């Protein structure tokens, strides 16, 4: 999957030094779930990368900009009655911020989720202070669905979570006609 100078590819074990170096950043950790360790080392990166191999088709992918790994993006497919929905998550290493990479990566994985994973709905929960991520989603057609009041406990503070979503309209129409 590629959009000019941004592409998504499978993560490989040799990515671990770069993944560890980029995500071991408090500014990134402040915007992700606490299950991602901080500080983050190469052992954490290796465990994560090996874990991505368990899901086929792949749900977590490397974001590559000008042939350099610069972040990770994933779709966490839900289960049971939510099996056609996924939560999107992504981070970009700080040296690559402000270049439009996240916007292109979200477009690529959204298309992948709808076409390859056969999803109907993709959603994201964004901390209230992460307006850059909100803009990335909005540029890709995601709509704000709700604000979950005081739903997030991060860095010993309570925050609102802004919930965004996008629908695979073709899949919705197809299923409603059958």
């Amino acid at each position: 999957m590629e959009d000019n100078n941004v592409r998504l590819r499978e993560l490989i074990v040799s990515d671990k030094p770069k993944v560890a170096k980029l995500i071991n950043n408090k500014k990134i950790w402040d915007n992700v779930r606490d299950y991602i360790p901080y500080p983050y080392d190469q052992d954490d990166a290796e465990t994560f990368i090996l874990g991505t191999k368990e899901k086929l088709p792949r749900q977590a992918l490397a974001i590559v900009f000008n042939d350099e790994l610069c972040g990770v993006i994933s779709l966490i497919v839900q289960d049971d009655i939510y099996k056609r929905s996924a939560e999107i998550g992504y981070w970009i290493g700080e040296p690559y911020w402000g270049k439009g990479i996240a916007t292109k990566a979200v477009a690529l994985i959204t298309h992948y989720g709808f076409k390859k994973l056969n999803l109907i709905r993709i959603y994201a929960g964004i901390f209230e202070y992460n307006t850059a991520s909100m803009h990335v989603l909005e540029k890709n057609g995601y709509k704000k669905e709700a604000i979950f009041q005081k739903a997030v406990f991060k860095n010993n503070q309570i925050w609102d979570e802004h919930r965004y979503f996008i629908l695979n309209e073709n899949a919705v129409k197809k299923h409603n006609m059958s």
Side-chain angles (χ1 to χ4, degrees):
M1 294 167 285
E2 190 165 349
D3 180 354
N4 293 332
N5 52 355
V6 176
R7 68 183 170 92
L8 304 182
R9 65 157 171 82
E10 187 174 330
L11 285 152
I12 52 177
V13 175
S14 61
D15 290 331
K16 73 180 184 179
K18 185 75 179 235
V19 169
K21 179 181 178 186
L22 290 173
I23 198 170
N24 190 36
N25 179 326
K26 179 80 165 58
K27 293 177 189 174
I28 293 172
W29 188 78
D30 285 344
N31 291 292
V32 297
R33 302 278 176 90
D34 284 350
Y35 67 76
I36 297 173
Y38 181 79
Y40 195 100
D41 62 27
Q42 287 194 36
D43 289 340
D44 297 319
E46 183 172 8
T47 299
F48 170 71
I49 292 167
L50 292 174
T52 68
K53 308 290 185 202
E54 297 170 8
K55 304 255 184 184
L56 287 174
R58 299 289 179 239
Q59 294 179 21
L61 300 165
I63 303 170
V64 177
F65 175 69
N66 291 336
D67 296 321
E68 287 184 50
L69 185 143
C70 65
V72 171
I73 192 163
S74 65
L75 291 170
I76 302 166
V77 177
Q78 305 300 291
D79 57 15
D80 196 35
I81 61 171
Y82 301 105
K83 61 185 166 262
R84 301 289 297 280
S85 294
E87 181 176 13
I88 189 173
Y90 50 90
W91 59 265
I92 303 289
E94 189 174 5
Y96 303 94
W97 291 357
K99 299 179 186 313
I101 297 167
T103 300
K104 289 180 181 178
V106 167
L108 290 168
I109 205 159
T110 299
H111 180 78
Y112 173 82
F114 289 160
K115 299 294 182 194
K116 183 79 172 175
L117 301 179
N118 204 24
L119 296 172
I120 293 173
R121 185 177 202 279
I122 300 173
Y123 68 92
I126 309 297
F127 306 155
E128 69 180 83
Y129 50 82
N130 190 353
T131 56
S133 197
M134 291 180 204
H135 294 309
V136 164
L137 294 168
E138 290 164 356
K139 287 179 197 172
N140 278 289
Y142 285 70
K143 294 182 177 31
K144 189 177 290 189
E145 178 170 42
I147 298 174
F148 295 0
Q149 300 291 312
K150 309 305 176 205
V152 173
F153 187 73
K154 181 75 176 176
N155 290 329
N156 288 320
Q157 293 188 23
I158 300 170
W159 303 97
D160 293 346
E161 179 186 50
H162 292 236
R163 185 67 65 100
Y164 283 80
F165 79 103
I166 192 167
L167 295 177
N168 180 347
E169 296 291 350
N170 291 330
V172 171
K173 286 176 192 169
K174 178 179 140 188
H175 286 283
N176 286 341
M177 294 177 128
S178 50

